[in-house]
Amino acid sequence: MEEQTLSIIKPDATKRSITGKINNIIEEAGLKIVAQKRIHLTREQAEKFYSVHAEKPFFKDLVNYMISGPIVVQVLQASNAVSLYRSVMGATNPEEAKSGTIRAEFAKSLEANSVHGSDSDENANIEISFFFKAEEIVG
Ligand code: IDP
Ligand code: MG
């Protein structure tokens, strides 16, 4: 059974209309986009999604940034989707991201780093069900 992970194309990227460029890198890496929708998070949704970071000093700014424009949420599928997408995204801080990664190519800053990807199988399942019903995911 192939693995699935949750991806978010963040507001800095949707604003610049580079969803297609990011999807190209995702697909070229062998990740299949099996669900996708463009939404605008409410503050409550953003706070819930990032609740693991609620005590961090950057939490308030992160929530404000994530609701500053539309996002594209996606489910990506591959045999090792979680770790593969983490390496395709690159490091959280774009200054540390390897060249060719999405964040090295497109991120504006540590906060506005263009994409989100789940960090474990367990969190992938939680994050996918946060945004998608089973019948919206077509493998
Ligand atoms: P990740 O997205 O690579 O998994 P996390 O540590 O889970 O990184 O942080 C979630 C998001 O919060 C990051 O992608 C980035 O947008 C933002 N962020 C993380 N650390 C900082 C920081 O030190 N300052 C500002 N924003 C940050
Ligand atoms: Mg994370």
Side-chain angles (χ1 to χ4, degrees):
M1 170 60 179
E2 293 216 295
E3 204 172 86
Q4 295 180 339
T5 191
L6 184 88
S7 164
I8 302 178
I9 300 178
K10 294 181 176 181
D12 71 274
T14 61
K15 267 183 195 145
R16 287 177 284 154
S17 295
I18 55 171
T19 297
K21 287 181 178 164
I22 291 172
N23 279 351
N24 189 46
I25 295 176
I26 288 170
E27 292 185 329
E28 290 281 326
L31 287 150
K32 189 172 177 183
I33 302 167
V34 295
Q36 176 170 266
K37 61 185 167 191
R38 182 173 166 104
I39 60 173
H40 198 137
L41 288 177
T42 64
R43 179 172 300 279
E44 290 66 34
Q45 284 176 309
E47 285 174 348
K48 194 172 172 205
F49 183 78
Y50 276 122
S51 60
V52 63
H53 295 306
E55 304 306 319
K56 304 269 172 65
F58 59 81
F59 180 69
K60 187 102 196 290
D61 286 345
L62 175 61
V63 168
N64 284 331
Y65 157 65
M66 288 300 290
I67 66 174
S68 68
I71 62 171
V72 175
V73 289
Q74 313 173 299
V75 180
L76 308 182
Q77 184 171 297
S79 59
N80 52 346
V82 171
S83 65
L84 176 57
Y85 191 47
R86 293 293 302 191
S87 65
V88 168
M89 287 197 302
T92 308
N93 184 344
E95 287 176 13
E96 290 160 16
K98 291 198 186 113
S99 80
T101 62
I102 294 169
R103 284 165 166 171
E105 292 293 311
F106 299 121
K108 302 293 263 184
S109 67
L110 174 55
E111 176 181 81
N113 59 2
S114 302
V115 280
H116 166 87
S118 309
D119 63 6
S120 69
D121 244 13
E122 192 193 350
N123 285 336
N125 291 331
I126 294 167
E127 292 178 0
I128 288 167
S129 55
F130 190 89
F131 291 111
F132 293 98
K133 297 178 191 148
E135 63 265 30
E136 293 175 318
I137 304 167
V138 183

